[in-house]
């Protein structure tokens, strides 16, 4: 059989699978049947199920072992299996907690290694129906249908049937739940919680018992029973307000005329009236208006105030469950005006004007409340004396504003303030211009009371106080003054006050408190406060003031008060380079400069500042700076050193120019032979032997224009060749001295035999005659007369050749001549 199953063609296998699937969908048809203990169970309870397989009805399962398994929706669950009667296979399943509101339980068999669904049972779970709540009914007089509504309660997750039932009529002496025959009045549609009982099922002016019943597979529930006369719950149309007017002799009262709605003229009605002024937070309610139609009176209205009126009615004999009609359309009415009443709260400031003969007064006051204004205030008047019959006092100010500046004679201590409207003028309020020299308060502080309010607290002084005056001004960059930013506390024992007028969040306010004593005003105390704070709008901008190799001084401008958004608690400076972690320092908010120390020389740093309040901080833009290689002191020392060196060099140079000896030592003067006088140069020592000279010539000047150096051959004498003369011992060159005058001769130069090269001599001054110096010796053998010769320029260097007196060649030439 297994061999045949293994060789079964694919189409035959597919047909068997389809057959098994169709048998499973039928649940109890085919080869398997599934039964459950209950298809609907309470949510969370246990569920039992059984699956029976008949082999002979399942083709392909006649032979072999049948394995049964279970699936809850797509989740595998374990059950037990046993053999049943008649060769059947039975599997039992118990689910201890069924937590699904709806699920399918499948019985499966294994065939060729796959699980095939052969049977199914659907299970639902939920709760018994909840009790309907808040049942109420209204009779509509247009069709006399009774519409009831209720609250359904929690969902039961099961199909639930809801119906509205009634029983009646009920005898007057019987209570509800009389167990009369229940009749279905109506069934809600579409899951709604209301329905309407038609007129044909109702008995008007008779008591009826009405309730809601809800039923599902797990139980039933009923609402509270209502015992009502349908006419008691009739919803009437609203009445109509005909007219409203003030009672002439009692101007705080009004008389109101109204009519009942159409169709209710035969009913005795119970009505309510409500009204409110535009500034009122809630409606004022007037009850107990009884009748079919007519008028109603009400007192206690404010003068000159616009009111809005509405009215509603119901049957006066109805029970507490009866429904009110809708409110009537609104009708507005303004009461009569009368002259303002009460005192005005006033505050002043005074200072001498000009030479002191006049007093400048700045008077401020609060507008009267509506209860005291008695209508629309047309203006205010300030006088120097109270009003008397038949005479009007002089007026110093007449304005529609709540402030006035005027001048009064010096010494004036009282002015009188009054308000007036179309009905008259109020009694004057006496304003005493007291001096502000009293005792100040010991302490004052203000804390936020809300986003737009401040709570001010102070310590009461020892002296008795008549009143307190609070002033507050918004702090801005541009100076300003708020004339209405003040209030007076009439309670002298008060130590707290609430400021609500003109307070904005994130704005700073300066607050001043004046104690008013009997006969004087105390010196004010001051404080500042915010109703709400946040981080500053932006941080200040850094700029570099100075920098060195290890320090940098940064400065910034304080933030404008409008952008601070709170009290600045600190400034935080952050700096870092490319290799180190970020460092920071916290700076007191009163400072505007900070010095960063411990920086590395010649290093780039990035610096930024954060401004912080109690509510947060804001970072500024980054500033890049580079430290220097040297400090300022080091740079100054370097420049000072270089300056000193330069000065020393200049001094030395001047000294060298002025001091000839030092100049000669360092830069000796080398003479120029072209400018020298040959006649003044003589040998330092003249030899004693006879000097032979050339043939004498006529004395005369010899002009030398050019000096040429010729290289002579060895062994030959330069110049003209002469006959051989007796050899004379060579004499070494001797130094020449200048015979300028008596005294020690000074050595000038020693001229060597090599001579000069290429020196062109100037024609002036002309060379002098050579003197025969031998005749000037100390008693020598020379003659007494002068002798001399004119040297003929040799071919080599005639000038130097003539100077070589002590040389061997010169002696040789002299002897030859």
């Amino acid at each position: 059989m297994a061999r045949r199953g293994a060789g079964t063609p694919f189409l035959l296998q597919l047909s068997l699978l389809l057959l098994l699937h169709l048998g499973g969908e039928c649940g109890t048809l085919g080869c398997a049947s599934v039964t459950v203990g209950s298809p609907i169970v309470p949510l969370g309870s246990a569920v039992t199920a059984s699956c029976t397989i008949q082999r002979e009805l399942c083709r392909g399962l006649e032979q072999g072992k049948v394995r049964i398994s279970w699936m809850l929706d797509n989740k595998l669950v374990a059950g037990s299996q046993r053999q049943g009667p008649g060769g059947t296979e039975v599997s039992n399943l118990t689910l201890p907690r069924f937590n699904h509101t709806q699920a399918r339980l499948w019985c499966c068999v294994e065939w060729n290694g796959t699980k095939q669904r052969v049977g199914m049972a659907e299970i639902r779970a939920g709760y018994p129906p909840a009790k309907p709540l808040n049942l109420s009914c209204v009779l509509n007089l247009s069709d006399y249908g009774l519409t009831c509504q209720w609250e359904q309660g929690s969902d039961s997750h099961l199909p639930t049937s809801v119906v509205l039932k009634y029983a009646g009529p009920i005898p007057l002496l019987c209570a509800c739940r009389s167990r009369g025959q229940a009749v279905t009045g109506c069934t809600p549609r579409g899951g709604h919680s209301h329905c309407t009982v038609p007129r044909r099922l109702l008995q008007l002016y008779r008591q009826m018992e009405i309730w809601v019943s809800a039923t599902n597979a797990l139980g039933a529930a009923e609402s509270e029973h209502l015992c009502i006369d349908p006419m008691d719950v009739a919803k009437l149309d609203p009445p109509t307000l005909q007219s409203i007017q003030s009672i002439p002799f009692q101007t705080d009262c009004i008389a109101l005329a109204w009519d009942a709605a159409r169709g209710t003229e035969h009913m005795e009605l119970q009505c309510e009236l409500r009204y409110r002024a535009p500034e009122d937070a809630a409606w004022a309610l007037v009850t107990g208006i009884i009748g079919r139609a007519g008028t109603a009176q009400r007192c206690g209205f404010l003068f000159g105030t616009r009111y809005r009126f509405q009215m509603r009615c119901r049957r006066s004999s109805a029970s507490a469950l009866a429904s009110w009609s809708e409110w009537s359309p609104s009708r507005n009415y303004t009461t009569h005006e009368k002259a303002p009443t009460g005192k005005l709260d006033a505050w002043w400031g005074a200072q001498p004007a000009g030479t002191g003969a006049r007093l400048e007064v700045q008077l401020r006051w609060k507008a009267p409340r509506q209860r005291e204004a008695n209508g629309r205030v047309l203006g205010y008047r300030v006088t120097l004396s109270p009003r008397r019959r038949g005479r009007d006092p002089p007026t110093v100010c007449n304005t529609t504003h709540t402030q006035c500046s005027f001048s009064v004679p010096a010494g004036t201590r009282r002015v009188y303030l009054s308000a007036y409207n179309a009905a008259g003028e109020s009694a004057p309020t006496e304003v005493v211009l007291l001096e502000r020299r009293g005792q100040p308060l010991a302490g004052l502080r203000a804390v936020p009371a809300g986003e737009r309010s401040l709570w001010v607290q102070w310590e009461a002084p020892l002296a008795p106080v008549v009143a307190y005056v609070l002033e507050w001004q918004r702090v801005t960059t541009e100076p300003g003054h708020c004339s209405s930013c003040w209030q007076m506390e009439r309670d002298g024992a008060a130590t707290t006050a609430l400021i609500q007028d003109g307070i904005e969040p994130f704005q700073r306010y300066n607050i001043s408190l004046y104690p008013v004593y009997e006969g004087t005003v105390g010196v004010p105390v001051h404080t500042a406060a915010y109703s709400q704070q946040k981080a500053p709008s932006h941080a200040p901008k850094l700029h570099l003031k100075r920098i060195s190799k290890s320090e940098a001084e940064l400065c910034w401008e304080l933030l404008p008060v409008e952008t601070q958004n709170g009290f600045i608690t600190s400034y935080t400076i952050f700096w870092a380079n490319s290799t180190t972690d970020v460092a920071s320092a916290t700076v007191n908010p009163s400072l505007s400069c900070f010095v960063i120390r411990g920086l590395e020389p010649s290093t780039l740093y990035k610096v930024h500042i954060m401004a912080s309040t109690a509510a947060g901080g804001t970072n500024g833009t980054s500033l890049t700076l580079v430290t220097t290689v040297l400090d300022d002191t080091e740079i100054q020392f370097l420049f000072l050193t270089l300056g000193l060196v330069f000065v020393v060099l200049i001094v030395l140079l001047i000294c060298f120019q002025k001091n000839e000896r030092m100049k000669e030592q360092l830069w000796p003067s080398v003479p120029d032979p072209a400018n020298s006088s040959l006649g003044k140069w003589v040998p330092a020592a003249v030899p004693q032997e006879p000097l032979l000279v050339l043939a004498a010539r006529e004395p005369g000047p010899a002009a030398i224009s050019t000096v040429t150096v010729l290289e002579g051959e060895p062994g030959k004498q330069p110049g003209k060749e002469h006959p051989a003369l007796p050899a004379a011992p060579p004499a070494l060159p001797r130094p020449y001295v200048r015979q300028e005058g008596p005294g020690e001769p000074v050595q000038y130069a020693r001229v060597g035999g090599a001579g000069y090269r290429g020196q062109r001599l100037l024609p002036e001054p002309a060379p002098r005659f050579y003197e025969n110096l031998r005749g000037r010796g100390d008693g020598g053998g020379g003659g007494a007369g002068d002798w001399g010769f004119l040297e003929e320029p040799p071919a080599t260097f005639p000038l130097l050749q003539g100077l070589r007196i002590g040389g061997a060649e010169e002696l040789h030439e002299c002897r030859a001549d």
Side-chain angles (χ1 to χ4, degrees):
M1 186 68 183
R3 189 182 305 109
R4 289 177 58 190
T8 303
F10 174 74
L11 293 177
L12 180 61
Q13 296 180 13
L14 183 62
S15 301
L16 179 60
L17 291 177
L18 181 61
L19 179 63
L20 290 174
H21 179 69
L22 292 175
E25 287 290 342
C26 294
T28 58
L29 300 178
C31 65
S33 63
V34 179
T35 59
V36 294
S38 175
I40 300 177
V41 297
L43 190 64
S45 62
V47 173
T48 59
S50 175
C51 179
T52 302
I53 303 295
Q54 299 181 8
R55 290 176 177 270
E56 63 275 9
L57 298 180
C58 293
R59 298 178 182 179
L61 299 179
E62 296 86 354
Q63 303 295 330
K65 185 177 180 180
V66 177
R67 294 185 178 182
I68 303 174
S69 59
W70 295 88
M71 293 185 69
L72 184 63
D73 285 339
N74 295 321
K75 182 180 179 181
L76 184 65
V77 292
S80 62
Q81 185 176 342
R82 61 181 176 84
Q83 287 188 351
T88 60
E89 292 290 334
V90 179
S91 177
N92 296 322
L93 175 67
T94 300
L95 299 175
R97 292 182 61 85
F98 188 78
N99 295 323
H100 302 267
T101 57
Q102 184 176 358
R104 290 184 176 185
L105 184 64
W106 296 93
C107 176
C108 304
V109 296
E110 293 188 6
W111 187 80
N112 278 353
T114 61
K115 296 182 183 297
Q116 303 297 327
R117 298 177 178 181
V118 295
M120 182 271 293
E122 186 171 359
I123 305 173
R124 302 192 66 167
Y127 302 104
K131 178 181 178 179
L133 304 173
N134 299 329
L135 175 63
S136 62
C137 299
V138 174
L139 181 66
N140 191 346
L141 294 181
S142 60
D143 59 359
Y144 284 91
L146 184 66
T147 301
C148 297
Q149 62 182 6
W150 61 92
E151 295 179 6
Q152 186 60 48
S154 59
D155 187 11
S156 65
H157 304 294
L158 295 174
T160 302
S161 173
V162 180
V163 295
L164 179 70
K165 296 184 178 182
Y166 73 94
I170 301 174
L172 295 177
L173 299 179
C174 296
C176 284
R177 298 183 182 272
S178 61
R179 302 195 180 276
Q181 183 179 0
V183 179
T184 299
C186 60
T187 301
R189 297 180 180 179
H192 296 293
S193 298
H194 60 83
C195 66
T196 300
V197 181
R199 171 68 180 85
R200 59 184 175 81
L201 299 178
L202 299 177
Q203 296 184 17
L204 303 180
Y205 301 102
R206 299 290 299 272
Q207 291 287 328
M208 298 178 63
E209 184 178 0
I210 301 175
W211 71 94
V212 178
S213 176
T215 306
N216 65 14
L218 297 180
E222 293 182 352
S223 68
E224 295 291 338
H225 290 222
L226 295 181
C227 294
I228 58 173
D229 178 357
M231 289 302 298
D232 288 344
V233 294
K235 188 175 181 66
L236 308 180
D237 291 333
T240 303
L241 296 176
Q242 296 293 339
S243 64
I244 304 173
Q245 61 182 359
S246 296
I247 299 176
F249 301 101
Q250 295 176 340
T251 55
D252 63 338
C253 298
I254 58 104
L256 184 144
W258 59 279
D259 286 338
R262 184 178 179 181
T264 62
E265 297 87 351
H266 62 284
M267 298 181 184
E268 191 72 18
L269 301 178
Q270 176 186 358
C271 300
E272 291 180 345
L273 175 70
R274 69 178 184 178
Y275 61 89
R276 66 185 299 181
E279 63 272 11
D280 292 340
W283 292 88
L285 186 64
V286 181
T287 60
I289 302 175
I290 305 298
R292 297 181 180 179
T295 62
Q297 293 185 3
R298 177 67 178 173
C299 296
F301 293 93
L302 300 178
F303 296 100
T305 304
R306 183 180 179 87
Y307 287 94
R308 179 184 175 191
F309 294 88
Q310 288 181 331
M311 197 173 187
R312 67 179 182 178
C313 297
R314 68 177 181 179
R315 286 184 60 204
S316 62
S317 61
S319 65
L321 299 176
S323 297
W324 289 95
S325 69
E326 299 294 336
W327 289 102
S328 67
S330 298
R331 189 178 181 91
N332 298 324
Y333 179 75
T334 302
T335 58
H336 288 174
E337 290 187 355
K338 77 171 186 177
T341 58
K343 298 292 185 180
L344 297 175
D345 290 338
W347 184 235
W348 69 93
Q351 59 184 359
T355 60
R358 307 284 298 178
L359 189 67
E360 288 289 340
V361 179
Q362 298 83 36
L363 185 62
R364 294 178 287 168
W365 57 89
K366 291 292 185 180
R369 293 172 294 180
Q370 183 62 36
R371 185 177 297 276
E372 299 171 346
N374 297 331
R376 187 173 68 91
V377 175
L378 299 179
Y380 303 91
R381 183 178 288 109
V382 181
T383 61
L384 295 180
S385 61
R387 181 185 301 273
R388 293 184 175 89
R389 290 184 179 181
R391 188 179 63 176
D392 291 336
T395 300
V396 296
C397 184
N398 191 349
T399 180
T400 58
H401 302 290
T402 56
Q403 61 176 338
C404 184
S405 297
F406 52 89
S407 175
V408 297
T412 303
R413 288 292 175 262
R414 288 176 174 82
V415 294
Y416 298 87
L417 174 66
S418 60
Y420 57 91
N421 59 15
E425 187 172 351
S426 68
T429 299
E430 185 181 54
V431 180
V432 183
L433 305 179
L434 301 175
E435 295 183 356
R436 298 177 180 180
R437 296 181 180 179
Q439 177 185 357
L441 299 177
L444 175 67
R445 69 188 187 97
V447 295
E451 185 177 340
R452 299 180 181 273
S453 59
L454 290 170
W455 192 256
V456 183
Q457 301 173 346
W458 63 88
E459 298 179 11
L462 298 178
V465 178
V466 177
Y468 293 96
V469 176
L470 270 171
E471 283 186 341
W472 60 93
Q473 293 292 332
R474 178 176 171 180
V475 182
T476 58
T477 304
E478 296 294 333
H481 184 75
C482 176
S483 61
S484 62
C485 297
W486 69 278
Q487 68 186 39
M488 180 174 288
E489 299 294 329
R490 292 288 185 180
D491 186 5
T495 57
T496 58
L498 183 64
I499 300 176
Q500 292 179 301
D501 295 338
I503 301 298
E504 297 290 336
F506 318 125
Q507 299 298 324
R508 183 186 300 179
Y509 292 88
N510 286 337
I511 302 172
S512 303
L513 180 62
Y514 299 81
V516 181
Y517 302 102
E518 189 70 32
T520 186
V521 176
V523 177
V525 290
H526 310 279
T527 188
Y530 283 86
S531 63
Q532 187 177 358
Q533 300 188 54
K534 67 176 181 179
S537 300
H538 58 83
K541 184 177 181 180
L542 288 175
H543 62 272
L544 183 63
K545 185 175 182 180
R546 66 175 181 86
I547 191 169
S548 64
K549 70 175 184 180
S550 61
E551 294 181 356
E553 184 175 3
L554 303 171
C555 292
W556 59 90
E557 295 182 359
L558 298 180
L559 291 175
V561 68
E562 292 89 348
T563 61
Q564 292 182 12
N565 300 329
F567 293 109
I568 300 296
T569 57
S570 65
Y571 293 106
T572 306
I573 310 296
F574 299 89
W575 67 91
N577 58 21
S578 59
T579 59
T580 60
D581 296 333
V582 177
S584 64
T586 302
V587 184
N588 191 287
S590 62
L591 302 178
S592 60
C593 287
F594 178 74
V595 178
I596 303 177
R597 294 182 170 86
L599 303 179
E600 297 293 332
S602 187
T603 305
L604 184 143
Y605 286 89
K606 288 190 175 181
V607 187
H608 73 273
I609 188 173
M610 180 179 71
S612 301
T613 65
T618 301
N619 288 322
T621 56
S622 179
L623 175 67
T624 302
L625 54 89
V626 179
T627 54
T628 59
V629 179
L630 300 175
D631 282 333
D632 291 341
T633 55
E634 295 175 344
I635 295 175
Q636 293 174 2
F637 180 77
L638 178 60
F639 277 100
L640 181 60
T641 303
L642 294 177
L644 290 175
V645 171
F646 181 75
V647 169
V648 170
L649 291 177
I650 295 298
V651 171
L652 291 177
L653 183 60
I654 294 174
C655 292
F656 292 156
Q657 292 291 336
K658 298 297 184 180
N659 194 328
E660 293 293 336
R661 180 176 297 180
M662 185 177 296
K663 181 178 179 181
E664 291 292 339
Q665 291 294 330
L666 296 178
W667 298 288
S669 297
V670 178
D672 187 358
N675 297 323
S676 63
S677 180
L678 297 180
K680 295 181 180 181
W681 296 93
V682 297
V686 180
Q688 298 296 325
E689 65 273 7
L691 180 62
L692 298 179
V693 297
L694 297 175
R697 294 189 177 182
E698 291 296 329
I704 302 175
S705 61
T706 303
V707 177
T708 304
V709 178
L710 300 177
E711 298 294 336
E713 296 181 4
K716 291 185 178 182
Q717 297 295 331
K720 182 180 177 180
E721 293 187 3
H722 301 283
L725 297 174
L732 295 176
R734 297 177 178 271
Y736 287 79
V737 294
R738 188 172 183 178
Q739 304 293 333
E740 286 286 336
E744 292 289 335
V746 179
Q747 178 177 333
Y748 179 73
R750 183 182 298 271
V751 181
Y756 289 91
R757 288 181 177 269
Q759 175 115 15
R760 185 174 183 87
L761 301 179
L762 298 177
E764 292 296 338
R768 298 181 181 180
F769 295 107
Y770 288 98
E771 295 180 326
N772 187 1
L773 300 180
R774 293 183 59 91
R776 297 182 181 181
D778 298 331
D786 292 336
W787 66 271
F789 62 90
L790 179 62
E791 179 184 6
E792 182 178 356
T796 57
F797 201 150
L799 176 61
L800 295 182
Q801 191 70 23
L803 293 177
R804 297 177 63 181
I805 299 174
E809 293 93 357
E810 289 180 351
L811 296 176
H812 177 72
E813 282 189 35
C814 292
R815 293 189 184 97
D817 289 339

